[in-house]
Structure formats: structure tokens, C-alpha cells
Amino acid sequence: MTALNEPLPPPVPSKAFLDRLALRRSAPAQALTTPGPSQAELDHILALGARTPDHGKLFPWRFVVLGPQSRAEIASRLASLVELRNGPAKDQAVLAKLTAAPVTILVVSSPVPGAKPIWEQQLSAGAVCMNLEHAAGGFGYSASWITDWYSYDPQALPLFGVGEGESVAGFIHIGTLNEPALERPRPEMSAKVTRLP
Ligand SMILES: Cc1cc2nc3c(=O)[nH]c(=O)nc-3n(C[C@H](O)[C@H](O)[C@H](O)COP(=O)(O)O)c2cc1C
């Protein structure tokens, strides 16, 4: 752990790092299987995920680590919710994504009221999600960032301990992909970049 105000080394050029960024891809959540991160690796992944910019040093997010047992229990209660509200079959089908991976980190956006703009605090939670995926990749695991209907359902959120004023930034499922990831369309950069002199 680096001490507070200790000088940090400057970034060094790293082709391996650039190659990783150039080839990184999310995994389909259902295709994530064992092995998953060990407890020590998971702690490391969480610490790296938390090393994320936020305006005001508010750390406006928190983690819920969900193992297979808690996810299975929650998924069965979510299945009852789908039935209760006569939800579409798709709502039931996507529950398979919640339970497949060896481990899941729920990133909860937990903005501090009256501090910096809420939007900025939520952006920071999104950055945490991306950092978690990178950190998982650094340990050789694949990851998937999912929300799905239960991230927005007021009856579902308490099952995950998401409280008033909080929202789900993402479920980051982590494990090993037992098939190659396939490239997907990427944007035409000229349509996305404006250059000003
Ligand atoms: C905030 C957020 C929520 C997402 N929710 C879902 C979801 O509920 N279901 C899904 O299939 N994909 C979802 N995705 C998309 C997956 O993460 C997708 O596989 C990924 O964006 C693929 O991009 P990549 O290959 O560049 O990683 C979500 C992505 C983000 C950023």
C-alpha cells in the first residue's frame, strides 16, 4: 500500500498494456465458469476497482460481493417476482446470467447528497465498474457488466441491499470464459472524434 502523499512513479510505456486495452472484450455472462478469482485475488480486484477518479474524494459507491449461494437464493426470489407481476418470459430467462459466474461484484452507486453533482458521482461508479473489469483481466479472468430488469425494479433492489437514493451501477460477473470471445462492431472513430485546433 502506498503511503499518503508518497510520490508515485510516472507511467511507463507498455505495449502489453496497450495490447490488452486493444483486445479487451466483455464475456457473455452465461459463458463464465470456474475457475474464478481466489479470495486474495478478489480483494486485490476490489482494491484496484476502487482506485478510480471521483470528484471531491467522496467515494460515492460501494461493493456487494455475491457468491453462488446468495445469487441462487436471490434469483429464486426474483423468479417469484417475475411471476407475481406477470413479467415477460425474457425476465425469467435473464436470471441465468445472474447465477452463472463463480463470483459477482455488485457496484452500488451511492451518491452523497448535496455534495458534487449526482451525475459526476454516478460517472465515478461507472468508472469503478470498468476498472474492476480491467483488474479481473489482469488476473487472467473475463468479466461481464450487466444490469437487467432487477437493477431497476423497486421490489428487486432490496434483495441486493440497494437502499434509498442508491442505484445499481452494474453487476460485474467474473470468471473464466471457456470459449473464445468474438469481436463485436466498434465505432468508426472519425464519426466520434471532433478535433479543434
Ligand atoms: C451500464 C451497462 C449495463 C449493461 N447491461 C447489460 C444487460 O443488462 N444485459 C446485457 O446483455 N448486456 C448489458 N450490457 C452490455 C454488456 O456489458 C456487453 O456485453 C458489453 O458492453 C460488450 O462490450 P465490450 O465487448 O466492449 O466489453 C451493459 C453494459 C453497460 C455499460
Side-chain angles (χ1 to χ4, degrees):
M1 180 87 174
T2 314
L4 195 62
N5 291 330
E6 188 179 320
L8 298 168
V12 289
S14 166
K15 183 172 180 317
F17 183 64
L18 293 174
D19 286 348
R20 177 64 65 90
L21 289 179
L23 297 178
R24 64 143 296 281
R25 250 234 79 176
S26 296
Q30 309 93 301
L32 286 170
T33 184
T34 52
S38 67
Q39 189 58 54
E41 287 173 332
L42 190 56
D43 287 346
H44 203 152
I45 288 168
L46 286 163
L48 292 173
R51 201 178 168 90
T52 288
D54 80 87
H55 192 175
K57 297 186 263 307
L58 298 166
F59 313 121
W61 23 259
R62 61 186 183 85
F63 304 109
V64 182
V65 178
L66 297 154
Q69 193 186 325
S70 58
R71 277 176 292 146
E73 284 166 16
I74 292 171
S76 98
R77 297 179 70 180
L78 291 173
S80 310
L81 267 187
V82 175
E83 273 180 38
L84 266 180
R85 59 192 183 92
N86 240 336
K90 184 173 175 289
D91 282 4
Q92 175 66 46
V94 295
L95 296 181
K97 292 194 242 174
L98 180 63
T99 51
V103 72
T104 298
I105 303 170
L106 164 59
V107 180
V108 181
S109 166
S110 198
V112 179
K116 301 298 178 190
I118 297 291
W119 165 237
E120 295 186 5
Q121 298 189 51
Q122 291 170 331
L123 285 174
S124 180
V128 166
C129 292
M130 192 70 250
N131 251 10
L132 288 172
E133 289 212 350
H134 287 313
F139 282 98
Y141 299 109
S142 295
S144 180
W145 180 349
I146 295 288
T147 46
D148 272 326
W149 65 268
Y150 42 83
S151 296
Y152 300 97
D153 185 302
Q155 287 179 285
L157 289 173
L159 301 178
F160 297 99
V162 177
E164 191 69 30
E166 295 187 317
S167 46
V168 169
F171 290 85
I172 310 299
H173 303 293
I174 301 174
T176 299
L177 192 53
N178 56 7
E179 60 191 21
L182 303 176
E183 183 55 308
R184 72 169 175 96
R186 299 294 168 184
E188 175 52 54
M189 293 310 294
S190 62
K192 290 289 173 190
V193 180
T194 303
R195 294 180 202 277
L196 302 174

